[in-house]
Amino acid sequence: LVRGYFTSAQLFADQVLDMARREGSPRSLAFAHQAQIETRHYRGDLAGVEELVDSLVPLRPYGSTESFVTPMGYAAYNALALGYFDNAELRMADALACAREHGDEPYISAIARDWEAICREALDSKRAGEAGAEALAIAEKHGFAFWGEVARIFVGLAKARLGSPQEGAALIRAACEGFLQSGQMIAGGLFFTYLAEAEDLAGNMDQAFTAINKAFDPSLTPYSDGTLWEMAPLHKPNAFTCRGGLYVKVGRNDLAEADFRAAIAEAQKMSARFFELLAAIPLARLLRDTNRHNEARAILAPLYGWFTEGLDTPPLKEAKTLLDELGE
């Protein structure tokens, strides 16, 4: 899973679940649920993750703390992607509460706060950055290299979005290099997408395109057996949306529109309504700016109308404002 072999990882996760069911102990089942939820998450099987979340909760007292906090973090992000903001908030609160119940053990605390940063990234950059900073302080104090690099990504992204883009881009760039050197590419597509955004905000357009091209490049880290990493299906919508935004800025509206539509198609495969919305907003804006108002409204209006939660979040507010501009 960590090396990006998502299809093979699912085969092993299925074996783990089968063995746990035959063995029968709640502790084994808790670990098996963690393996399944993580693997299904990266494969874009959001419905499959939802099938397992309810049965994870009763196993909480039996497994390790990590066997609850980690999959519940994934489950929170899963709910966010699906467009269920309230559920995402409840699951994240459960993960953080579990970490606190166990005395804020450093490793678990770093994981929980990194997941808080991941889940808040698209909705509240300030709070995401604060959670990332807490995770980074813990990780650096105790030598948790992986979770430290993850935290550095979200601290950098917050800085880039909140007025310090050069500093933010430098932090994300360093973290991405660290992941490349370790061969850990589980979220490479997502992290290079964030780097592209930060480079763009810093005015480094060439570097932004270099970063987003890395997000799509499977030959970036070929392994010793000659196989290549895969971009997680869950990360493709955001990568296409980011690249589309870069194309708009350099006047390639044709390529931008193609990428926005690809992002929507990838999101629809997973019923990831929130990621679909994040792509539909810039597509609708592009269509508006090229005198295709009706087409823009036809794409955005029904999607916005689906949401019953999170209407006060920045993306939903942006969609509503755009729809008002488009008129009836």
Side-chain angles (χ1 to χ4, degrees):
L1 183 67
V2 170
R3 294 177 71 190
Y5 302 155
F6 302 118
T7 302
S8 298
Q10 186 67 64
L11 297 175
F12 285 112
D14 290 344
Q15 291 180 42
V16 171
L17 182 59
D18 179 63
M19 287 188 287
R21 284 171 172 165
R22 285 188 280 112
E23 193 267 343
S25 78
R27 186 175 183 86
S28 294
L29 286 168
F31 178 77
H33 275 64
Q34 178 181 354
Q36 283 285 338
I37 286 173
E38 291 184 18
T39 306
R40 294 184 186 197
H41 170 91
Y42 286 106
R43 294 186 68 230
D45 182 10
L46 307 191
V49 171
E50 291 300 308
E51 290 173 0
L52 291 166
V53 175
D54 287 343
S55 56
L56 171 69
V57 175
L59 297 170
R60 175 176 174 176
Y62 303 101
S64 66
T65 309
E66 185 182 355
S67 290
F68 181 81
V69 172
T70 296
M72 194 54 72
Y74 281 105
Y77 191 78
N78 202 74
L80 177 69
L82 290 167
Y84 299 117
F85 299 92
D86 294 347
N87 221 0
E89 191 69 29
L90 288 172
R91 291 172 180 179
M92 196 64 252
D94 277 350
L96 291 168
C98 184
R100 286 193 295 271
E101 287 169 12
H102 289 264
D104 275 335
E105 192 277 318
Y107 185 68
I108 301 303
S109 294
I111 293 173
R113 284 161 177 78
D114 264 335
W115 270 111
E116 184 181 10
I118 293 166
C119 290
R120 298 201 186 283
E121 167 271 317
L123 302 177
D124 190 332
S125 294
K126 183 175 184 294
R127 289 183 67 186
E130 290 170 350
E134 291 178 10
L136 183 58
I138 296 168
E140 289 184 335
K141 179 178 180 179
H142 296 278
F144 305 143
F146 171 78
W147 291 108
E149 298 291 18
V150 173
R152 198 167 279 110
I153 293 281
F154 292 96
V155 172
L157 189 61
K159 286 182 177 293
R161 290 174 175 174
L162 298 174
S164 301
Q166 296 287 357
E167 182 184 358
L171 283 169
I172 302 174
R173 199 181 305 125
C176 287
E177 286 302 317
F179 285 128
L180 284 180
Q181 290 172 14
S182 71
Q184 192 291 114
M185 289 298 293
I186 191 171
L190 182 64
F191 293 158
F192 278 111
T193 296
Y194 290 149
L195 177 57
E197 179 186 341
E199 297 284 18
D200 176 28
L201 290 170
N204 306 325
M205 187 58 68
D206 288 345
Q207 291 93 321
F209 272 107
T210 297
I212 200 62
N213 287 338
K214 286 182 178 179
F216 285 97
D217 184 4
S219 67
L220 193 61
T221 55
Y223 298 113
S224 58
D225 58 3
T227 55
L228 306 175
W229 76 285
E230 307 170 49
M231 186 194 295
L234 187 63
H235 299 156
K236 288 181 180 179
N238 292 333
F240 277 116
T241 299
C242 177
R243 192 171 68 180
L246 296 178
Y247 279 137
V248 168
K249 291 192 173 184
V250 296
R252 292 303 308 270
N253 288 349
D254 54 336
L255 296 178
E257 182 174 343
D259 268 354
F260 293 145
R261 292 187 184 279
I264 289 171
E266 292 290 340
Q268 287 175 340
K269 291 178 186 177
M270 303 176 286
S271 298
R273 297 276 189 167
F274 182 51
F275 294 163
E276 184 180 354
L277 180 73
L278 294 179
I281 290 170
L283 176 58
R285 188 180 298 111
L286 177 60
L287 294 172
R288 177 202 64 187
D289 294 344
T290 51
N291 298 314
R292 289 180 282 173
H293 289 64
N294 290 340
E295 189 178 354
R297 186 169 185 83
I299 289 171
L300 190 57
L303 183 56
Y304 176 81
W306 178 88
F307 286 86
T308 58
E309 303 172 8
L311 298 180
D312 60 343
T313 61
L316 271 294
K317 286 182 177 180
E318 186 178 359
K320 179 64 166 60
T321 299
L322 183 52
L323 282 171
D324 291 342
E325 292 173 4
L326 291 169
E328 296 295 334

